[in-house]
Amino acid sequence: MVEPLRMLTREQRQRCMEEAGYNTFLLRSADVYIDLLTDSGTSAMSDRQWAGLMLGDEAYAGSRNFYNLEAAMREVYGYKHLIPTHQGRAAEHMISQLLIKKGDSVPGNMYFTTTRLHQELAGGTFVDVIIDEAHDPQSLHPFKGDVDLAKFQKLIDERGAEKIPYICIATAVNMCGGQPISVANLKEVYELAHRHGILVVHDMTRCVENAYMVKDHEPGYADRTITEIVREICSYTDIATMSSKKDHLVNIGGFLAVNDDELANKARNMVVVYEGLHTYGGMSGRDMEALAIGIRECVEYEHIKARVGQVQYLGKKLDDEGIPIVKPVGTHGVFLDAKRFLPHIDQDLFPAQALAAELYVDSGVRSMERGNVSAGRGPDGKHRRPALELVRLTIPRRVYTQAHMDVVAESVLEVYDNREQVKGLEFTYEPEYLRFFQARFKPVE
Ligand code: P70
């Protein structure tokens, strides 16, 4: 697909940003020049996927596209049952409601916004058990997604395993920079969890990207195929939630996958309440066909190598220029370290939010805050002030060229040169849930 782009003047962009309340989620896409808000639903579909859209079987029940999707999921990931949903958070909602009881603790390798919210709405409390290195943007640990087994063991000792329904393991951990978990660590997590009767829920939104990093960096995996690594990762988990809008190269879709027959039946019963029949779960037949094809395409080595390679290209360019970024560079985007970028702005004046706004005003590049605004307020009512105060430059798959990455890097450099002029922000509107999506701000004088 080719779309015309509009270049606004700096003054026009300044006005757009004011109207958007200094929140890049509230900009109109027509006013954006290069859109690095997210890699979610923004990838370009292939010729084969577009052809698949023409093969939609829109029967209410038992669409053949569902069976194609089920077969593709089983072939690549190996889970037994597939319950389709309209996107990832619907799967998170169902598994949280099915497994979490009030007062439970739910450990995980760093929070994700929607995941944690669904755990909390189900009565649980998220507990971070990721290694400390994940919270340090400058640590060069190659597997910053790893779980600190001592933290997990401590939680089991303190709370008792009966208060821990599952541990949630994300592959290519989003909030710390798209950082992979090693297969060796995951295996240990699985063994520890199962010794205590605790399930492992896999947020496999970017599992294929994680598998690529394993192939590249984990000893013993260089000669394994991406699908073999993905299958091994999934074999150390019991349940998976999937936002297909990322790895799977489609604009909408997702699913819950489980191995247990009884849990599958419960989830199938629940999906008809919230999503649709268990053979479409919020997707049309044609969506499911494009998704089935995307599942097979995304594990092709040349594709994933080019995808992660493009992210690494932008990361290296910024790093070479001395821009403070999260290192090592992860798989789905380059994350600017706003604490070091704008050290003059206190974290409660949201430096990452201000930086994302400034970058847009400078060049029309749209990015996303992943810091104090995203983290929300803790039980004490105060902003959580996470260690990581980041701006995510997220790269959609198969959309942009290296030349676009060069323009992005130039703009980041320009903003870096003028960084002293950037001011902090304060809320003018703060929504109750997932506040970062709809919040509005004004600059602090
Ligand atoms: C992003 C998107 C979605 C996502 C994810 C992981 C690791 C679950 C989901 C939910 C969209 C997004 C969502 C919340 C805040 C900002 C942006 N991530 N797990 O841009 O899936 O969106 O399909 O319901 O990354 O990172 P879905």
Side-chain angles (χ1 to χ4, degrees):
M1 191 68 68
V2 175
E3 294 172 39
L5 287 180
R6 214 154 57 105
M7 260 279 232
L8 302 180
T9 64
R10 189 185 168 91
E11 289 66 35
Q12 286 171 320
R13 287 193 297 267
Q14 179 65 48
R15 212 171 319 119
C16 290
M17 194 34 85
E18 282 164 23
E19 282 168 15
Y22 293 80
N23 185 348
T24 53
F25 279 104
L26 301 180
L27 289 166
R28 289 171 188 243
S29 103
D31 297 330
V32 172
Y33 185 48
I34 297 179
D35 202 347
L36 306 189
L37 180 71
T38 177
D39 63 333
S40 183
T42 54
S43 297
M45 290 208 295
S46 67
D47 48 358
R48 286 174 294 172
Q49 286 179 295
W50 281 105
L53 287 185
M54 292 295 147
L55 301 173
D57 169 4
E58 306 304 342
Y60 188 87
S63 158
R64 74 169 164 262
N65 311 118
F66 168 77
Y67 297 104
N68 292 345
L69 173 59
E70 188 182 51
M73 187 285 288
R74 285 183 179 151
E75 182 185 303
V76 171
Y77 297 99
Y79 296 107
K80 191 170 172 195
H81 301 282
L82 172 94
I83 295 102
T85 59
H86 77 284
Q87 60 183 80
R89 66 197 75 180
E92 295 176 338
H93 164 66
M94 289 197 294
I95 205 62
S96 303
Q97 293 294 330
L98 286 168
L99 295 180
I100 298 171
K101 292 189 298 302
K102 199 170 166 26
D104 282 351
S105 295
V106 187
N109 56 345
M110 196 164 274
Y111 85 102
F112 185 71
T113 52
T114 58
T115 319
R116 184 178 66 196
L117 177 61
H118 283 297
Q119 293 164 357
E120 288 170 354
L121 291 172
T125 303
F126 169 79
V127 181
D128 189 19
V129 294
I130 203 165
I131 56 171
D132 288 342
E133 286 88 340
H135 294 278
D136 175 2
Q138 297 186 73
S139 156
L140 293 176
H141 194 295
F143 290 99
K144 283 168 132 180
D146 280 2
V147 168
D148 184 330
L149 292 157
K151 288 186 192 170
F152 184 24
Q153 181 68 60
K154 188 162 170 273
L155 182 72
I156 297 170
D157 295 343
E158 284 174 8
R159 295 271 14 239
E162 65 287 354
K163 291 278 180 209
I164 307 173
Y166 62 83
I167 177 167
C168 182
I169 296 297
T171 31
V173 181
N174 192 348
M175 297 304 283
C176 61
Q179 303 292 335
I181 179 171
S182 63
V183 179
N185 180 260
L186 176 59
K187 187 163 185 263
E188 286 189 276
V189 170
Y190 180 68
E191 286 165 358
L192 175 57
H194 274 229
R195 273 203 298 283
H196 291 89
I198 297 168
L199 294 168
V200 179
V201 174
H202 177 198
D203 179 344
M204 64 172 186
T205 297
R206 298 180 183 85
C207 180
V208 173
E209 293 180 358
N210 195 116
Y212 176 77
M213 296 302 254
V214 166
K215 185 174 167 72
D216 227 19
H217 299 293
E218 187 165 348
Y221 287 91
D223 296 329
R224 304 275 295 277
T225 67
I226 296 295
T227 307
E228 283 168 349
I229 300 169
V230 167
R231 282 294 283 263
E232 184 174 355
I233 290 172
C234 295
S235 76
Y236 303 132
T237 69
D238 303 289
I239 295 162
T241 57
M242 183 70 194
S243 169
S244 291
K245 303 172 73 173
K246 286 77 164 175
D247 269 357
H248 293 163
L249 304 158
V250 287
N251 307 119
I252 195 72
F255 55 81
L256 178 67
V258 305
N259 288 329
D260 183 76
D261 298 341
E262 200 187 323
L263 185 63
N265 275 341
K266 284 187 185 163
R268 277 194 199 103
N269 194 211
M270 198 170 181
V271 84
V272 295
V273 180
Y274 293 104
E275 295 284 292
L277 195 74
H278 56 276
T279 55
Y280 73 85
M283 283 181 281
S284 61
R286 54 182 173 271
D287 290 334
M288 291 191 284
E289 193 61 29
L291 172 49
I293 296 166
I295 288 177
R296 294 199 170 101
E297 282 183 3
C298 76
V299 289
E300 286 169 13
Y301 180 69
E302 293 307 324
H303 157 70
I304 193 66
K305 183 169 183 268
R307 188 287 184 278
V308 178
Q310 187 172 44
V311 175
Q312 302 285 326
Y313 172 86
L314 177 62
K316 182 171 183 321
K317 223 173 158 75
L318 293 175
D319 190 37
D320 286 349
E321 296 286 353
I323 302 293
I325 60 170
V326 173
K327 293 207 294 184
V329 177
T331 60
H332 67 307
V334 179
F335 289 61
L336 305 175
D337 182 357
K339 278 190 186 170
R340 280 186 293 151
F341 206 113
L342 302 173
H344 59 285
I345 301 181
D346 181 82
Q347 198 171 7
D348 279 353
L349 300 178
F350 311 118
Q353 188 78 29
L355 180 53
E358 183 63 25
L359 191 61
Y360 170 78
V361 172
D362 181 73
S363 62
V365 172
R366 170 154 73 169
S367 57
M368 186 194 292
E369 191 265 7
R370 302 275 70 180
N372 206 11
V373 180
S374 294
R377 291 178 188 271
D380 60 359
K382 295 204 172 102
H383 303 307
R384 280 193 168 96
R385 297 176 70 93
L388 296 173
E389 178 72 24
L390 309 174
V391 171
R392 188 180 73 175
L393 303 165
T394 340
I395 321 289
R397 296 160 191 79
R398 310 194 292 204
V399 172
Y400 291 115
T401 64
Q402 262 38 354
H404 291 95
M405 298 301 112
D406 294 344
V407 174
V408 172
E410 262 173 50
S411 174
V412 174
L413 276 175
E414 174 103 5
V415 174
Y416 194 61
D417 287 342
N418 300 308
R419 60 191 180 278
E420 280 94 11
Q421 285 150 36
V422 181
K423 293 193 180 103
L425 298 171
E426 63 188 17
F427 277 106
T428 58
Y429 167 58
E430 184 185 353
E432 183 178 356
Y433 300 116
L434 303 172
R435 61 183 186 174
F436 53 89
F437 280 133
Q438 293 148 337
R440 303 185 70 85
F441 303 83
K442 68 172 183 346
V444 179
E445 287 313 316

